[in-house]
Amino acid sequence: GENVEQHPSTLSVQEGDSAVIKCTYSDSASNYFPWYKQELGKGPQLIIDIRSNVGEKKDQRIAVTLNKTAKHFSLHITETQPEDSAVYFCAASRAAGNEKLTFGTGTRLTIIP
Amino acid sequence: GAVVSQHPSRVICKSGTSVKIECRSLDFQATTMFWYRQFPKKSLMLMATSNEGSKATYEQGVEKDKFLINHASLTLSTLTVTSAHPEDSSFYICSARHRATNEKLFFGSGTQLSVL
């Protein structure tokens, strides 16, 4: 089955600086890679996703890059703000129907004002 | 759009009782719904996958008789924790796969279950 590793487990960044979270996956058939933000006591919120036919995707201050050959993908948050503080999870799946998402172990991001 | 409603958000029950958690996709039809369990400061652990009108598929190690899943329609799935015990205390989260995109997965807000 799929195995997703995520680093770092914790990350502290000065407000306004950039944050980068990296994930690797093992299943070369995985073709869908979402990122979720989870705040304390709440369910994960989809913030951005990318499919394997695209190398990079950007949405305002958030971007995701994918390297299929190396089987890794990264989340980039620029101009960080205090409200970006949360736990971020990467995930991978063979996108379709019943295919399940395999999650990374999470990164606790803290933005220092 | 793409809102998943989960209720209750928090429940406290006595050991031996059963608890039902509801998960509804409010503004879309879901091909598949998934149920996760999450321990404090840990990742999400998939418990089961369910499709409307068919039996749920449980992950290895998850007792199907203890965690009953009913997927009555394309917008509603329920998880019933039967004869709950303190070790069942956890954060349970449902998610629904959007029928239109068939890939995006949206999560409910979770249910914190505490069994006394």
Side-chain angles (χ1 to χ4, degrees):
Chain A
E2 176 66 278
N3 181 50
V4 178
E5 295 189 357
Q6 183 172 347
H7 299 280
S9 56
T10 59
L11 178 62
S12 293
V13 173
Q14 204 71 38
E15 182 179 354
D17 288 349
S18 296
V20 180
I21 303 170
K22 298 181 179 182
C23 289
T24 59
Y25 61 99
S26 61
D27 185 355
S28 56
S30 288
N31 56 8
Y32 177 64
F33 307 92
W35 285 87
Y36 289 87
K37 175 183 180 182
Q38 187 178 27
E39 297 176 341
L40 190 63
K42 297 183 179 179
Q45 176 190 6
L46 178 66
I47 56 172
I48 196 167
D49 56 6
I50 192 169
R51 298 208 70 191
S52 59
N53 58 350
V54 176
E56 183 174 357
K57 184 177 178 181
K58 190 174 181 180
D59 182 3
Q60 298 182 337
R61 296 187 296 109
I62 295 173
V64 57
T65 58
L66 171 66
N67 183 325
K68 276 179 57 179
T69 304
K71 286 191 271 186
H72 65 70
F73 56 112
S74 301
L75 177 72
H76 304 252
I77 306 174
T78 58
E79 299 172 23
T80 53
Q81 300 168 4
E83 52 265 37
D84 294 330
S85 295
V87 178
Y88 291 80
F89 291 98
C90 63
S93 81
R94 303 180 186 188
N98 287 0
E99 292 294 338
K100 61 184 182 182
L101 277 178
T102 300
F103 284 87
T105 48
T107 296
R108 182 171 297 277
L109 175 64
T110 302
I111 306 303
I112 305 166
Chain B
V3 177
V4 176
S5 175
Q6 185 174 341
H7 292 282
S9 58
R10 181 178 293 272
V11 59
I12 301 171
C13 69
K14 291 182 179 180
S15 188
T17 60
S18 295
V19 174
K20 180 185 281 190
I21 303 169
E22 276 195 1
C23 180
R24 291 179 185 271
S25 55
L26 295 185
D27 51 359
F28 67 98
Q29 291 185 327
T31 50
T32 308
M33 288 188 171
F34 302 86
W35 286 94
Y36 292 83
R37 185 173 179 176
Q38 187 177 32
F39 292 102
K41 298 185 179 180
K42 297 293 184 182
S43 189
L44 290 82
M45 182 187 78
L46 180 65
M47 298 175 66
T49 302
S50 74
N51 291 290
E52 181 247 348
S54 55
K55 289 184 179 180
T57 302
Y58 290 81
E59 294 297 302
Q60 192 172 9
V62 178
E63 298 177 60
K64 62 179 182 180
D65 294 330
K66 179 158 191 66
F67 298 100
L68 299 178
I69 292 173
N70 181 272
H71 196 148
S73 72
L74 284 172
T75 60
L76 173 63
S77 177
T78 60
L79 167 68
T80 301
V81 183
T82 62
S83 186
H85 290 283
E87 57 265 30
D88 299 325
S89 298
S90 190
F91 192 56
Y92 293 87
I93 316 173
C94 71
S95 65
R97 177 159 274 149
H98 200 302
R99 189 180 196 185
T101 67
N102 205 30
E103 62 186 16
K104 293 184 186 294
L105 201 61
F106 297 96
F107 284 81
S109 52
T111 297
Q112 183 64 52
L113 171 63
S114 299
V115 184
L116 306 177

